[in-house]
């Protein structure tokens, strides 16, 4: 090897040593400590979906999928097999051990799953994983994206978060007499009660909400023991590693805040003795409208998610005040930019598919983006992207920065 790159994780602090409010890693550590103080130790696993697209002869990403395989297809139809193997072997060299990998339903869509680990390690590993996926894909001449809905009429990419909770040596979610314990039910009820408020931190982009309710992605706040299309699934597998799976998040989230909030929601469910509603075992796609009308929906847009978050007592109690206010302000700026865009799909492609570094000029009474900095090592690719940007953001100035 030509050289090694060191990765390390740290905490952000003020000069006097106090924690910075926006430090997600500190937030998650605080949530873990809070749960342990109540006698609980959460273990988290993840299932991460992403798309791979081909590049053109200028090294610019296209919207042409790497293959047209389907769910769990094998080579040669599945052309991502060697890529996933390369990703997994690279991760193993970094002491990160994937549990499984496969082709997902969409063309060029892949999934890599990770076994349970402590919550902090799970979040750290997810951050590293996303960087490795993009780097290895680029090394193989491909472009990987975690954009939630990169192809309008095809499956979106989600982040399924699996929670297992230990109390002493016992798994809270291990079935008892064919069902779940009251403690487990209250944890699930806590998530269902607060997930609408948390959605802003699980799905942070306008594009995230194009995925909801489409092709088995969740739309309703519901749960089931067996139905894979529900928001939350609580299998009754008689194993020591049985857990619950939340299916709404995507990889635009900050995993430290997302996982921390899920832990708090579980504990709140236990403390407040929340009652778990009956499972929704119907197929969402063919369910009667009268049945669906009984269910609350997840926020259906980033704007709705912001409105829920602003009114949330749960978030106000758990998140640092300044951090919550600042995050909501940033998301509101994004909504303004999205609503101003004449072509919404093109806006999301420029913002979420290509990697842009945006400098925002904050003005009194609102935010406005007045300059876009394009970082590229390829002059032709840059020219193509600048052309797209000028169409999407006609009032913005465009600056070029060479990298590489």
């Amino acid at each position: 090897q030509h050289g090694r790159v060191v990765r390390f994780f740290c905490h952000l602090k003020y000069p006097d040593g106090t924690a910075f409010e926006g430090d997600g890693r500190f937030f998650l550590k605080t949530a873990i400590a809070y749960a342990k103080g109540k006698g609980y130790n959460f273990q988290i696993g993840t299932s991460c979906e992403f798309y791979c697209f081909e590049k053109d002869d200028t090294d610019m990403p296209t919207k042409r999928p790497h293959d047209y395989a389907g769910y769990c297809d094998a080579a040669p139809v599945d052309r991502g097999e060697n890529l996933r193997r390369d990703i997994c072997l690279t991760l193993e060299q970094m002491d990160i051990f994937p549990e499984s990998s496969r082709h997902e339903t969409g063309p060029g869509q892949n999934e890599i799953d990770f076994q349970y680990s402590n919550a902090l390690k799970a979040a750290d590993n997810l951050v590293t994983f996303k960087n490795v996926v993009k780097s290895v894909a680029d090394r193989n001449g491909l472009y990987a994206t975690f954009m939630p809905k990169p192809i309008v009429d095809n499956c979106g990419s989600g982040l399924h978060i699996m929670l297992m909770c230990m109390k002493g040596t016992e798994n809270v979610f291990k079935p008892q007499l064919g069902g779940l314990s009251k403690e487990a039910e209250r944890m699930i009820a806590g998530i269902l009660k607060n997930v609408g408020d948390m959605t802003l931190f699980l799905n942070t982009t306008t594009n995230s909400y194009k995925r909801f309710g489409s092709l088995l992605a969740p739309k309703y706040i519901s749960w089931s023991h067996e139905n894979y299309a529900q928001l939350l699934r609580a299998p009754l597998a008689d194993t020591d590693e049985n857990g619950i799976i939340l299916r709404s998040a995507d990889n635009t989230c900050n995993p430290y805040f997302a996982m921390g909030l899920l832990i708090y929601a579980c504990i709140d469910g236990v403390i407040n003795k929340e009652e778990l509603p009956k499972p929704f075992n119907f197929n969402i796609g063919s369910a009667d409208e009268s049945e669906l009308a009984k269910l609350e929906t997840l926020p259906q847009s980033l704007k709705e998610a912001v409105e829920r978050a602003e009114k949330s007592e749960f978030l106000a109690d758990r998140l640092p005040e300044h951090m919550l206010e600042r995050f909501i302000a940033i998301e509101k700026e994004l909504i303004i930019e999205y609503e101003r865009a004449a072509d919404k799909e093109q806006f999301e492609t420029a913002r979420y598919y290509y990697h842009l570094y945006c400098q925002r000029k904050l003005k009194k009474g609102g935010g406005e983006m007045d300059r876009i900095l394009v970082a590229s090592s390829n002059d032709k690719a840059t020219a193509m992207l600048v052309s797209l940007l000028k169409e999407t953001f006609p009032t913005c100035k465009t600056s070029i920065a060479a990298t590489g």
Side-chain angles (χ1 to χ4, degrees):
Q1 296 183 3
H2 295 292
R4 294 181 180 273
V5 177
V6 174
R7 71 179 178 115
F8 67 93
F9 294 93
C10 61
H11 293 294
L12 302 178
K13 296 183 178 182
Y14 287 104
D16 64 2
T18 58
F20 171 59
E21 299 93 330
D23 182 357
R25 204 165 184 270
F26 178 77
F27 175 78
L28 179 54
K29 286 187 75 171
T30 303
I32 293 168
Y34 176 77
K36 285 186 176 179
K38 303 293 182 182
Y40 302 105
N41 180 17
F42 284 87
Q43 302 288 302
I44 294 180
T46 55
S47 294
C48 312
E49 297 170 341
F50 59 94
Y51 272 88
C52 281
F53 294 91
E54 295 181 353
K55 295 183 180 181
D56 63 17
D57 56 5
T58 67
D59 204 38
M60 187 73 172
T62 71
K63 281 293 189 79
R64 187 169 60 249
H66 180 43
D67 62 35
Y68 290 90
Y71 186 73
C72 282
D73 265 339
V77 179
D78 171 15
R79 297 177 61 194
E81 192 174 89
N82 288 333
L83 173 66
R84 294 193 301 275
R85 183 181 295 110
D86 196 357
I87 291 169
C88 290
L89 291 175
T90 301
L91 289 167
E92 287 176 2
Q93 291 176 359
M94 304 170 75
D95 290 330
I96 299 173
F97 299 97
E99 185 174 56
S100 62
S101 70
R102 63 177 176 274
H103 198 285
E104 256 297 339
T105 307
Q109 189 182 30
N110 303 271
E111 178 176 314
I112 296 180
D113 304 334
F114 293 87
Q115 58 197 9
Y116 287 107
S117 60
N118 72 70
L120 189 63
K121 185 177 180 181
D124 286 346
N125 287 350
L126 185 58
V127 171
T128 302
F129 163 77
K130 290 167 67 175
N131 182 263
V132 168
V133 166
K134 286 185 168 294
S135 297
V136 173
D138 185 70
R139 190 168 70 203
N140 283 271
L142 299 169
Y143 181 73
T145 178
F146 292 96
M147 184 177 176
K149 193 77 169 176
I151 305 177
V152 175
D153 57 352
N154 230 302
C155 293
S157 291
L159 169 66
H160 298 172
I161 302 176
M162 299 165 284
L163 288 92
M164 182 173 68
C165 179
M166 303 301 294
K167 187 176 184 181
T169 59
E170 297 296 321
N171 178 6
V172 172
F173 294 112
K174 185 174 182 178
Q176 299 177 4
L177 302 175
L180 294 175
S181 67
K182 197 67 178 176
E183 213 166 17
E185 289 183 353
R186 286 172 176 166
M187 286 187 177
I188 296 170
I191 293 176
L192 295 178
K193 178 184 177 182
N194 294 300
V195 71
D197 294 0
M198 289 190 291
T199 295
L200 182 63
F201 288 86
L202 302 177
N203 311 91
T204 66
T205 70
T206 57
N207 184 256
S208 298
Y209 299 84
K210 304 288 176 64
R211 173 177 155 256
F212 286 172
S214 171
L215 301 170
L216 297 182
K219 174 181 179 179
Y220 298 94
I221 298 178
S222 59
W223 77 282
S224 174
H225 287 303
E226 298 177 354
N227 193 304
Y228 279 71
Q230 307 302 329
L231 168 68
L232 190 147
R233 186 158 53 90
L236 292 176
D238 190 19
T239 70
D240 291 333
E241 292 191 349
N242 191 55
I244 58 175
I245 303 103
L246 182 75
R247 301 179 57 251
S248 61
D250 62 53
N251 274 296
T252 67
C253 75
N254 179 315
Y256 300 103
F257 286 110
M259 293 177 187
L261 288 171
L262 283 173
I263 290 172
Y264 279 126
C266 285
I267 302 302
D268 277 14
V270 174
I271 292 173
N272 297 323
K273 299 181 179 179
E274 299 290 347
E275 288 297 320
L276 182 64
K278 292 182 179 179
F280 193 86
N281 292 319
F282 300 96
N283 186 317
I284 291 287
S286 58
D288 188 90
E289 286 296 327
S290 62
E291 291 294 329
L292 294 176
K294 300 174 184 176
L295 300 175
E296 183 184 355
T297 63
L298 292 166
Q300 294 301 292
S301 67
L302 184 61
K303 189 173 184 178
E304 279 188 40
V306 166
E307 290 170 355
R308 287 287 300 266
E310 284 184 305
K311 299 174 184 177
S312 173
E313 292 182 7
F314 171 74
L315 295 181
D317 288 343
R318 297 303 180 192
L319 290 166
E321 181 181 2
H322 177 70
M323 178 269 165
L324 179 58
E325 289 176 353
R326 183 67 189 125
F327 186 72
I328 287 175
I330 291 171
E331 294 297 273
K332 283 184 174 181
E333 293 169 25
L334 180 57
I335 292 167
I336 291 170
E337 293 169 16
Y338 176 75
E339 290 179 343
R340 285 177 178 171
D343 188 322
K344 302 293 193 286
E345 184 180 346
Q346 191 176 58
F347 171 89
E348 291 185 335
T349 297
R351 174 57 68 96
Y352 306 126
Y353 186 69
Y354 299 104
H355 279 260
L356 309 178
Y357 297 89
C358 299
Q359 297 175 339
R360 292 196 180 116
K361 181 179 179 181
L362 299 179
K363 292 187 176 180
K364 195 172 182 180
E368 179 176 300
M369 182 172 66
D370 73 338
R371 183 176 297 276
I372 299 174
L373 175 63
V374 180
S376 176
S377 58
N378 185 298
D379 292 340
K380 291 183 179 179
T382 299
M384 292 173 65
L385 185 52
V386 168
S387 177
L388 171 63
L389 289 169
K390 286 181 177 179
E391 293 179 21
T392 308
F393 306 104
T395 63
C396 292
K397 299 175 183 178
T398 308
S399 301
I400 310 299
T403 64

